[in-house]
Amino acid sequence: AYTLFFVIGTLGAIQIPVVGWQPLRSLEQIGPLGVFAGFQILEFCDIRRRALAGTRRSFTTYEFVRFRVQAMVCLALALVGTAVLLYPTGYFGPLSSRIRGLFVKHTKTGNPLVDSVAEHQPADPGIYASYLNLPLDYALLGGLVSALRRNNGFYFLCLYGYIAQHFSGKMSRLVLIC
């Protein structure tokens, strides 16, 4: 599903003149390309495992995990090598002012839209109780119940919660993602 979403979405976005090749050149948008490549490697590993199933050379669980790790290390090395080759040519653009505003103290850019977004103050702790009310109380109980049966969904919720809390702490308007 992600592969189709990425390919169709990226091909569609590239067709818009204002966007151009930005999905493949912008540092903010290059992450989904890495996720796409990672999914392709995972699928390659699964295809290889299915092809060898039932033969003398089929993978044990340990061998398959080792094979996947080796494939991911090869992907990481290929991506780093490509980035090292392309970076000096100016292929990648800089981070936008809006993204830099989340990580560094605000500096005036001269663009009123960017300045208005970047200069927001961190969220006040009371705003979470005001906006989220009962779901905020239920989040703790749901987290405790989920901790008893940890699975991929539980880890996703933990990661999402951490990221949402981190970025909403940087900019009060981002409390909405909680």
Side-chain angles (χ1 to χ4, degrees):
Y2 183 83
T3 298
L4 283 175
F5 177 77
F6 178 81
V7 170
I8 292 170
T10 303
L11 288 176
I14 289 173
Q15 303 306 314
I16 299 170
V18 176
V19 175
W21 289 98
Q22 189 139 357
L24 303 176
R25 297 180 79 137
S26 169
L27 289 177
E28 292 106 30
Q29 298 175 25
I30 206 93
L33 179 62
V35 172
F36 173 75
F39 277 133
Q40 301 316 302
I41 292 296
L42 291 176
E43 184 60 25
F44 167 76
C45 293
D46 286 339
I47 289 171
R48 183 87 171 127
R49 183 183 203 180
R50 285 191 299 268
L52 294 177
T55 66
R56 266 188 13 186
R57 296 182 48 211
S58 63
F59 286 118
T60 64
T61 303
Y62 174 76
E63 291 171 335
F64 181 66
V65 169
R66 189 167 166 231
F67 177 64
R68 267 192 169 176
V69 169
Q70 289 172 342
M72 285 299 189
V73 167
C74 288
L75 173 67
L77 290 174
L79 291 177
V80 167
T82 303
V84 166
L85 290 174
L86 290 177
Y87 185 75
T89 66
Y91 181 81
F92 302 112
L95 289 174
S96 70
S97 298
R98 284 181 272 176
I99 299 299
R100 281 193 310 260
L102 290 172
F103 298 104
V104 296
K105 291 294 180 194
H106 177 64
T107 55
K108 296 287 184 189
T109 63
N111 182 339
L113 179 63
V114 172
D115 289 343
S116 70
V117 171
E119 66 187 10
H120 280 289
Q121 299 300 316
D124 188 30
I127 204 167
Y128 293 100
S130 175
Y131 284 0
L132 300 176
N133 201 3
L134 286 177
L136 186 62
D137 299 332
Y138 296 147
L140 178 62
L141 297 173
L144 292 174
V145 170
S146 296
L148 298 175
R149 285 195 66 188
R150 289 178 294 209
N151 56 19
N152 290 342
F154 171 74
Y155 295 121
F156 171 77
L157 286 177
C158 290
L159 184 62
Y160 179 82
Y162 171 76
I163 291 171
Q165 187 274 334
H166 174 76
F167 286 110
S168 67
K170 300 270 186 185
M171 188 184 302
S172 61
R173 287 192 335 192
L174 294 180
V175 170
L176 297 175
I177 65 172
C178 291

